[in-house]
Amino acid sequence: MKHRVIIVGCGGMSIQWIDYALERENADIVALVDMNVANAENVRGTYGLKVPIYANLSEAIENTDATLVFDVTIPASHKNITTTAIKAGLTVFGEKPIAETLEDAYEVVDLAVTRNVVYAVMQNRRYNHQLRALKQALQKGIVGRVGALHADFFLGPHFGGFRETMNSPLIIDMAIHTFDQARCMIGADPVSVYCHEYNPPGSWYQGNASAVCIFEMDNGAVFTYRGSWSAVGAGTSWEASWRVHGSEGTALWDGTNVPSYERLKGEQQEAFIPEYEASTITPDDSFREGHRGCLDEMFAALEQGRLAETHCRSNIKSMEMVFGAIQSAKEQRKIILKRD
């Protein structure tokens, strides 16, 4: 099957998506769309593409035989771009988030379901060799039944610009990556959240750049998140630092080096000071990492007639974690993550 692709959004993020489309033998780029035509012209010239340029997606769909839209626009445009494509019956692969608000995201997902149109969302940080190996080991019971998952994320980037004036820069702009990784790692979805946001001394952000969250998951496990974007020194990896508590042991991953674990050695559950066996978990390099890994999965699912791992009906759960945490911090109470 030949996929005929419209690229919507020709800014910096689009480079990885365009590179990917060009490397696939069964995909052709048939149009570029950007409100700023100069951006599209620059991309077309850079890649030597011989395709038309449009200022709006509807016109591009009408004038091409496209089958697939890559939505690489800014978050504020995602709802409009995605719904336009879905209503035209085109498959959509897009950058996160689904929309700027949870209500708009529900509307988009409902439309995709009603129209029976494929819509998958980019969650590139799921596609990490070490994370996937840890996920597989946990599924095989390397530490027994998982009871708790803990993630620490502490960095101090000076972005400048809009992030430093946002109300909740850490939760809104970054935490969805870690929240989604947690769902991926233990194969569970959120049930509730309690979140406390704050802005520590020395922060260069106007909004709350730090947070502590407690999520209850539908498999009975508890996921805790401690994070800050205004941490001074002793930073973690961008992939966070993880600790998984199980009924028979504990697994660790610092987000950079190979995961490791300690588990009970033999039948020692009642020993006062048990003995443990320790080892590392070999990374799974059977797939490509990052954007390419996620896009590989999206295309494979499309061609096999199944839902992609990050299809919109699943990805909305990661968005619920973000907006539930924001609501909890604002209202200072536990929020049940259940759609009405």
Side-chain angles (χ1 to χ4, degrees):
M1 176 182 178
K2 198 75 167 180
H3 305 283
R4 299 180 63 79
V5 182
I6 296 175
I7 307 290
V8 188
C10 296
M13 183 64 71
S14 67
I15 293 173
Q16 296 187 70
W17 292 72
I18 295 170
D19 285 343
Y20 183 89
L22 291 174
E23 75 179 30
R24 286 195 73 94
E25 294 182 356
N26 66 341
D28 288 330
I29 297 174
V30 297
L32 301 175
V33 177
D34 200 300
M35 291 181 61
N36 185 340
V37 174
N39 286 343
E41 290 175 341
N42 181 58
V43 166
R44 183 169 63 178
T46 299
Y47 286 92
L49 299 173
K50 299 183 184 301
V51 299
I53 291 173
Y54 299 93
N56 68 80
L57 177 58
S58 295
E59 187 178 357
I61 293 173
E62 183 178 347
N63 289 284
T64 65
D65 56 353
T67 60
L68 173 61
V69 167
F70 281 4
D71 179 9
V72 205
T73 60
I74 61 174
S77 298
H78 289 178
K79 180 185 178 183
N80 178 55
I81 296 301
T82 303
T83 54
T84 297
I86 290 173
K87 288 176 181 178
L90 274 66
T91 296
V92 183
F93 296 164
E95 277 289 350
K96 63 165 187 59
I98 295 171
E100 282 197 304
T101 68
L102 192 56
E103 291 72 20
D104 281 349
Y106 283 139
E107 187 177 329
V108 174
V109 173
D110 286 346
L111 181 64
V113 172
T114 300
R115 297 294 182 97
N116 195 28
V117 171
V118 173
Y119 172 32
V121 184
M122 176 58 66
Q123 290 289 175
N124 51 295
R125 292 183 184 274
R126 279 181 173 235
Y127 295 87
N128 175 287
H129 292 162
Q130 296 162 356
L131 182 150
R132 303 298 281 211
L134 177 55
K135 172 185 174 67
Q136 292 165 15
L138 294 175
Q139 289 176 330
K140 293 176 181 178
I142 196 69
V143 296
R145 180 177 176 180
V146 174
L149 175 67
H150 307 289
D152 282 348
F153 179 91
F154 291 94
L155 289 168
H158 288 258
F159 291 106
F162 72 92
R163 289 181 180 85
E164 294 188 5
T165 60
M166 290 173 65
N167 289 330
S168 303
L170 177 71
I171 295 294
I172 291 292
D173 197 52
M174 185 61 199
I176 190 171
H177 284 297
T178 312
F179 294 172
D180 188 73
Q181 286 174 311
R183 289 182 55 231
C184 175
M185 199 178 295
I186 62 173
D189 290 328
V191 174
S192 69
V193 59
Y194 180 83
C195 173
H196 175 70
E197 277 192 306
Y198 62 101
N199 208 25
S203 173
W204 48 95
Y205 293 83
Q206 292 181 25
N208 290 321
S210 303
V212 177
C213 304
I214 303 171
F215 291 93
E216 294 174 287
M217 308 300 282
D218 62 5
N219 67 348
V222 172
F223 165 50
T224 69
Y225 171 87
R226 300 187 303 178
S228 179
W229 249 358
S230 58
V232 181
T236 64
S237 160
W238 282 88
E239 306 299 334
S241 179
W242 299 83
R243 185 180 187 97
V244 188
H245 287 221
S247 58
E248 299 173 21
T250 294
L252 301 172
W253 181 44
D254 65 3
T256 301
N257 299 298
V258 297
S260 62
Y261 66 89
E262 286 189 358
R263 60 174 290 139
L264 289 169
K265 188 174 182 180
E267 298 294 329
Q268 299 188 74
Q269 283 83 350
E270 298 181 4
F272 179 63
I273 302 179
E275 291 184 36
Y276 297 92
E277 55 182 353
S279 188
T280 57
I281 300 170
T282 303
D284 176 9
D285 61 359
S286 64
F287 60 92
R288 298 196 291 178
E289 291 187 298
H291 279 72
R292 280 179 164 77
C294 192
L295 283 163
D296 282 344
E297 160 62 10
M298 290 177 181
F299 273 98
L302 182 62
E303 291 161 2
Q304 294 166 12
R306 60 175 175 81
L307 291 175
E309 184 176 308
T310 60
H311 67 91
C312 61
R313 280 180 279 173
S314 174
N315 190 252
I316 194 74
K317 299 297 183 181
S318 295
M319 283 197 66
E320 288 175 341
M321 296 174 81
V322 170
F323 287 101
I326 294 297
Q327 182 183 356
S328 174
K330 182 179 180 180
E331 299 179 8
Q332 299 183 19
R333 67 182 181 91
K334 178 180 177 179
I335 299 297
I336 303 301
L337 299 177
K338 182 179 180 181
R339 186 180 179 186
D340 294 332

